[in-house]
Short mmCIF file of all heavy atoms in Angstrom, two decimals:
data_model
loop_
_atom_site.label_atom_id
_atom_site.label_comp_id
_atom_site.label_asym_id
_atom_site.label_seq_id
_atom_site.Cartn_x
_atom_site.Cartn_y
_atom_site.Cartn_z
N HIS U 249 174.01 44.82 44.60
CA HIS U 249 174.94 43.77 44.18
C HIS U 249 176.26 43.81 44.94
O HIS U 249 177.20 43.07 44.61
CB HIS U 249 175.21 43.87 42.68
CG HIS U 249 174.01 43.51 41.84
ND1 HIS U 249 173.83 43.99 40.56
CD2 HIS U 249 172.92 42.73 42.11
CE1 HIS U 249 172.69 43.52 40.07
NE2 HIS U 249 172.13 42.76 40.99
N GLY U 250 176.33 44.67 45.95
CA GLY U 250 177.54 44.71 46.76
C GLY U 250 178.73 45.32 46.07
O GLY U 250 179.88 44.93 46.32
N GLY U 251 178.49 46.30 45.20
CA GLY U 251 179.57 46.95 44.46
C GLY U 251 180.08 48.19 45.13
O GLY U 251 180.32 48.21 46.35
N LYS U 252 180.18 49.27 44.35
CA LYS U 252 180.73 50.52 44.88
C LYS U 252 179.77 51.68 44.58
O LYS U 252 180.04 52.53 43.71
CB LYS U 252 182.10 50.79 44.26
CG LYS U 252 183.15 49.75 44.67
CD LYS U 252 184.51 50.09 44.06
CE LYS U 252 185.56 49.07 44.49
NZ LYS U 252 186.90 49.38 43.90
N PRO U 253 178.67 51.75 45.31
CA PRO U 253 177.77 52.91 45.12
C PRO U 253 178.47 54.18 45.58
O PRO U 253 179.37 54.14 46.43
CB PRO U 253 176.58 52.57 46.02
CG PRO U 253 177.15 51.67 47.08
CD PRO U 253 178.21 50.85 46.38
N ASP U 254 178.06 55.31 45.01
CA ASP U 254 178.70 56.57 45.44
C ASP U 254 177.78 57.41 46.33
O ASP U 254 178.12 58.54 46.68
CB ASP U 254 179.18 57.38 44.24
CG ASP U 254 178.09 57.74 43.23
OD1 ASP U 254 176.90 57.70 43.62
OD2 ASP U 254 178.42 58.04 42.07
N ARG U 255 176.62 56.85 46.71
CA ARG U 255 175.70 57.52 47.62
C ARG U 255 174.61 56.52 48.01
O ARG U 255 174.51 55.43 47.42
CB ARG U 255 175.06 58.73 46.94
CG ARG U 255 174.26 58.38 45.69
CD ARG U 255 173.98 59.62 44.85
NE ARG U 255 173.13 59.34 43.69
CZ ARG U 255 173.56 58.85 42.53
NH1 ARG U 255 174.84 58.53 42.37
NH2 ARG U 255 172.72 58.66 41.51
N PHE U 256 173.80 56.87 48.99
CA PHE U 256 172.65 56.04 49.32
C PHE U 256 171.60 56.13 48.21
O PHE U 256 171.41 57.19 47.61
CB PHE U 256 171.99 56.48 50.63
CG PHE U 256 172.73 56.07 51.87
CD1 PHE U 256 173.35 57.02 52.66
CD2 PHE U 256 172.81 54.73 52.24
CE1 PHE U 256 174.04 56.64 53.81
CE2 PHE U 256 173.49 54.35 53.37
CZ PHE U 256 174.12 55.30 54.17
N VAL U 257 170.95 55.02 47.92
CA VAL U 257 169.73 55.08 47.12
C VAL U 257 168.69 55.80 47.98
O VAL U 257 168.44 55.41 49.11
CB VAL U 257 169.24 53.67 46.75
CG1 VAL U 257 167.94 53.76 45.95
CG2 VAL U 257 170.31 52.92 45.96
N ASN U 258 168.11 56.85 47.44
CA ASN U 258 167.23 57.71 48.23
C ASN U 258 165.77 57.30 48.03
O ASN U 258 165.12 57.69 47.05
CB ASN U 258 167.43 59.18 47.87
CG ASN U 258 166.84 60.11 48.91
OD1 ASN U 258 165.81 59.82 49.51
ND2 ASN U 258 167.51 61.24 49.14
N GLN U 259 165.28 56.48 48.94
CA GLN U 259 163.90 56.03 48.95
C GLN U 259 163.50 55.46 47.59
O GLN U 259 164.14 54.55 47.07
CB GLN U 259 162.98 57.16 49.43
CG GLN U 259 163.38 57.73 50.81
CD GLN U 259 162.24 58.37 51.54
OE1 GLN U 259 161.49 57.70 52.21
NE2 GLN U 259 162.11 59.69 51.43
N TYR U 260 162.45 56.00 46.97
CA TYR U 260 161.90 55.43 45.74
C TYR U 260 162.50 56.04 44.47
O TYR U 260 161.94 55.86 43.38
CB TYR U 260 160.39 55.63 45.71
CG TYR U 260 159.61 54.73 46.63
CD1 TYR U 260 159.33 55.10 47.94
CD2 TYR U 260 159.13 53.49 46.19
CE1 TYR U 260 158.60 54.28 48.79
CE2 TYR U 260 158.41 52.66 47.02
CZ TYR U 260 158.14 53.06 48.32
OH TYR U 260 157.43 52.24 49.16
N GLU U 261 163.62 56.71 44.57
CA GLU U 261 164.13 57.44 43.42
C GLU U 261 164.47 56.54 42.23
O GLU U 261 164.48 57.00 41.08
CB GLU U 261 165.39 58.23 43.81
CG GLU U 261 166.58 57.36 44.14
CD GLU U 261 167.87 58.15 44.37
OE1 GLU U 261 167.82 59.39 44.28
OE2 GLU U 261 168.90 57.53 44.66
N PHE U 262 164.72 55.27 42.46
CA PHE U 262 165.19 54.38 41.39
C PHE U 262 164.06 53.76 40.58
O PHE U 262 164.31 53.06 39.59
CB PHE U 262 166.04 53.24 41.99
CG PHE U 262 165.25 52.26 42.82
CD1 PHE U 262 164.77 51.08 42.28
CD2 PHE U 262 164.98 52.53 44.16
CE1 PHE U 262 164.04 50.19 43.05
CE2 PHE U 262 164.25 51.65 44.94
CZ PHE U 262 163.78 50.48 44.38
N ILE U 263 162.80 54.01 40.96
CA ILE U 263 161.71 53.26 40.35
C ILE U 263 160.52 54.17 40.07
O ILE U 263 160.11 54.96 40.91
CB ILE U 263 161.31 52.09 41.28
CG1 ILE U 263 160.35 51.12 40.60
CG2 ILE U 263 160.74 52.58 42.60
CD1 ILE U 263 160.16 49.83 41.40
N ASP U 264 160.02 54.10 38.84
CA ASP U 264 158.79 54.78 38.47
C ASP U 264 157.68 53.74 38.44
O ASP U 264 157.68 52.85 37.58
CB ASP U 264 158.91 55.44 37.10
CG ASP U 264 159.56 56.81 37.15
OD1 ASP U 264 159.77 57.32 38.27
OD2 ASP U 264 159.89 57.36 36.09
N ILE U 265 156.74 53.84 39.38
CA ILE U 265 155.65 52.87 39.48
C ILE U 265 154.46 53.43 38.71
O ILE U 265 153.95 54.51 39.03
CB ILE U 265 155.28 52.62 40.95
CG1 ILE U 265 156.51 52.17 41.74
CG2 ILE U 265 154.17 51.57 41.05
CD1 ILE U 265 156.32 52.17 43.24
N LEU U 266 154.01 52.71 37.70
CA LEU U 266 152.94 53.20 36.83
C LEU U 266 151.59 52.92 37.48
O LEU U 266 150.79 52.10 37.03
CB LEU U 266 153.04 52.54 35.45
CG LEU U 266 154.39 52.68 34.75
CD1 LEU U 266 154.31 52.11 33.34
CD2 LEU U 266 154.86 54.13 34.71
N PHE U 267 151.34 53.64 38.55
CA PHE U 267 150.19 53.41 39.40
C PHE U 267 148.93 54.06 38.82
O PHE U 267 148.92 55.26 38.52
CB PHE U 267 150.47 53.96 40.80
CG PHE U 267 149.36 53.75 41.79
CD1 PHE U 267 148.98 52.48 42.17
CD2 PHE U 267 148.68 54.83 42.32
CE1 PHE U 267 147.96 52.29 43.08
CE2 PHE U 267 147.66 54.66 43.23
CZ PHE U 267 147.30 53.37 43.62
N GLY U 268 147.87 53.28 38.63
CA GLY U 268 146.59 53.80 38.22
C GLY U 268 146.45 54.16 36.76
O GLY U 268 145.46 54.79 36.37
N LEU U 269 147.41 53.77 35.92
CA LEU U 269 147.39 54.15 34.52
C LEU U 269 146.84 53.07 33.60
O LEU U 269 146.53 53.34 32.43
CB LEU U 269 148.80 54.53 34.06
CG LEU U 269 149.43 55.73 34.75
CD1 LEU U 269 150.88 55.91 34.32
CD2 LEU U 269 148.63 57.00 34.45
N ASP U 270 146.72 51.87 34.08
CA ASP U 270 146.32 50.74 33.23
C ASP U 270 144.81 50.53 33.31
O ASP U 270 144.15 50.90 34.29
CB ASP U 270 147.04 49.48 33.69
CG ASP U 270 146.68 49.09 35.10
OD1 ASP U 270 147.17 49.74 36.04
OD2 ASP U 270 145.87 48.16 35.28
N PRO U 271 144.22 49.92 32.28
CA PRO U 271 142.77 49.71 32.28
C PRO U 271 142.28 48.74 33.34
O PRO U 271 141.14 48.83 33.79
CB PRO U 271 142.49 49.17 30.87
CG PRO U 271 143.80 48.58 30.43
CD PRO U 271 144.85 49.45 31.04
N ILE U 272 143.14 47.81 33.78
CA ILE U 272 142.74 46.86 34.82
C ILE U 272 142.48 47.60 36.12
O ILE U 272 141.46 47.40 36.79
CB ILE U 272 143.82 45.78 35.02
CG1 ILE U 272 144.05 45.00 33.72
CG2 ILE U 272 143.42 44.82 36.14
CD1 ILE U 272 145.24 44.06 33.76
N SER U 273 143.40 48.49 36.49
CA SER U 273 143.23 49.26 37.72
C SER U 273 142.04 50.20 37.64
O SER U 273 141.27 50.33 38.59
CB SER U 273 144.50 50.07 38.02
OG SER U 273 145.61 49.22 38.23
N ARG U 274 141.89 50.86 36.49
CA ARG U 274 140.78 51.80 36.34
C ARG U 274 139.43 51.09 36.41
O ARG U 274 138.42 51.68 36.80
CB ARG U 274 140.92 52.58 35.04
CG ARG U 274 142.05 53.59 35.05
CD ARG U 274 141.85 54.62 33.95
NE ARG U 274 141.95 54.00 32.63
CZ ARG U 274 143.03 54.04 31.86
NH1 ARG U 274 144.13 54.65 32.29
NH2 ARG U 274 143.04 53.48 30.68
N ASN U 275 139.41 49.82 36.02
CA ASN U 275 138.17 49.05 36.06
C ASN U 275 137.91 48.43 37.43
O ASN U 275 136.87 47.81 37.65
CB ASN U 275 138.24 47.93 35.01
CG ASN U 275 136.89 47.33 34.70
OD1 ASN U 275 135.95 48.04 34.35
ND2 ASN U 275 136.78 46.02 34.83
N ASN U 276 138.86 48.62 38.34
CA ASN U 276 138.76 48.01 39.67
C ASN U 276 139.15 49.05 40.71
O ASN U 276 140.17 48.92 41.38
CB ASN U 276 139.70 46.79 39.74
CG ASN U 276 139.46 45.97 40.98
OD1 ASN U 276 138.34 45.79 41.43
ND2 ASN U 276 140.54 45.46 41.55
N PRO U 277 138.36 50.10 40.87
CA PRO U 277 138.77 51.27 41.67
C PRO U 277 138.81 50.99 43.17
O PRO U 277 138.10 50.13 43.68
CB PRO U 277 137.70 52.30 41.34
CG PRO U 277 136.48 51.48 41.01
CD PRO U 277 137.01 50.26 40.31
N SER U 278 139.67 51.76 43.83
CA SER U 278 139.76 51.76 45.29
C SER U 278 139.64 53.19 45.78
O SER U 278 139.89 54.13 45.01
CB SER U 278 141.10 51.17 45.75
OG SER U 278 141.18 49.80 45.43
N PRO U 279 139.27 53.39 47.03
CA PRO U 279 139.21 54.76 47.57
C PRO U 279 140.57 55.44 47.49
O PRO U 279 141.60 54.81 47.72
CB PRO U 279 138.78 54.54 49.02
CG PRO U 279 138.10 53.21 49.03
CD PRO U 279 138.84 52.38 48.02
N THR U 280 140.55 56.71 47.16
CA THR U 280 141.80 57.45 47.04
C THR U 280 141.93 58.58 48.05
O THR U 280 142.94 59.26 48.09
CB THR U 280 141.92 58.06 45.62
OG1 THR U 280 140.77 58.89 45.37
CG2 THR U 280 141.98 56.96 44.57
N ALA U 281 140.89 58.75 48.90
CA ALA U 281 140.93 59.83 49.90
C ALA U 281 140.00 59.48 51.05
O ALA U 281 139.06 58.69 50.88
CB ALA U 281 140.52 61.15 49.26
N PRO U 282 140.26 60.03 52.23
CA PRO U 282 139.38 59.77 53.38
C PRO U 282 137.93 60.12 53.07
O PRO U 282 137.65 61.09 52.37
CB PRO U 282 139.96 60.67 54.47
CG PRO U 282 141.39 60.85 54.10
CD PRO U 282 141.41 60.88 52.60
N GLY U 283 137.02 59.29 53.60
CA GLY U 283 135.60 59.51 53.38
C GLY U 283 135.02 58.75 52.21
O GLY U 283 133.80 58.72 52.04
N GLN U 284 135.87 58.12 51.41
CA GLN U 284 135.39 57.39 50.24
C GLN U 284 135.17 55.92 50.54
O GLN U 284 135.85 55.33 51.38
CB GLN U 284 136.38 57.53 49.08
CG GLN U 284 136.53 58.94 48.55
CD GLN U 284 137.50 59.01 47.38
OE1 GLN U 284 138.07 58.02 46.95
NE2 GLN U 284 137.68 60.20 46.85
N GLU U 285 134.24 55.31 49.81
CA GLU U 285 133.98 53.87 49.91
C GLU U 285 133.64 53.35 48.52
O GLU U 285 132.86 53.96 47.79
CB GLU U 285 132.83 53.61 50.88
CG GLU U 285 132.48 52.13 51.05
CD GLU U 285 131.41 51.90 52.10
OE1 GLU U 285 131.66 52.20 53.28
OE2 GLU U 285 130.32 51.42 51.73
N THR U 286 134.26 52.23 48.15
CA THR U 286 133.99 51.63 46.84
C THR U 286 133.79 50.13 47.00
O THR U 286 134.17 49.54 48.01
CB THR U 286 135.16 51.86 45.86
OG1 THR U 286 136.34 51.22 46.37
CG2 THR U 286 135.44 53.33 45.64
N LYS U 287 133.20 49.54 45.98
CA LYS U 287 133.07 48.09 45.91
C LYS U 287 133.84 47.63 44.69
O LYS U 287 133.51 48.01 43.56
CB LYS U 287 131.60 47.69 45.81
CG LYS U 287 131.36 46.18 45.88
CD LYS U 287 129.87 45.87 45.92
CE LYS U 287 129.61 44.38 46.05
NZ LYS U 287 128.15 44.08 46.11
N ASN U 288 134.90 46.85 44.91
CA ASN U 288 135.73 46.49 43.77
C ASN U 288 135.16 45.31 43.00
O ASN U 288 134.11 44.75 43.35
CB ASN U 288 137.18 46.24 44.21
CG ASN U 288 137.34 44.99 45.08
OD1 ASN U 288 136.55 44.06 45.05
ND2 ASN U 288 138.41 44.99 45.87
#
Side-chain angles (χ1 to χ4, degrees):
H249 291 155
K252 295 182 179 180
D254 58 20
R255 61 196 184 278
F256 284 112
V257 178
N258 196 325
Q259 304 205 85
Y260 285 90
E261 69 173 0
F262 69 96
I263 190 169
D264 276 351
I265 304 168
L266 306 186
F267 181 64
L269 297 174
D270 63 284
I272 300 171
S273 298
R274 289 199 295 261
N275 196 54
N276 190 38
S278 293
T280 57
Q284 296 181 359
E285 180 176 296
T286 62
K287 186 174 183 179
N288 68 24

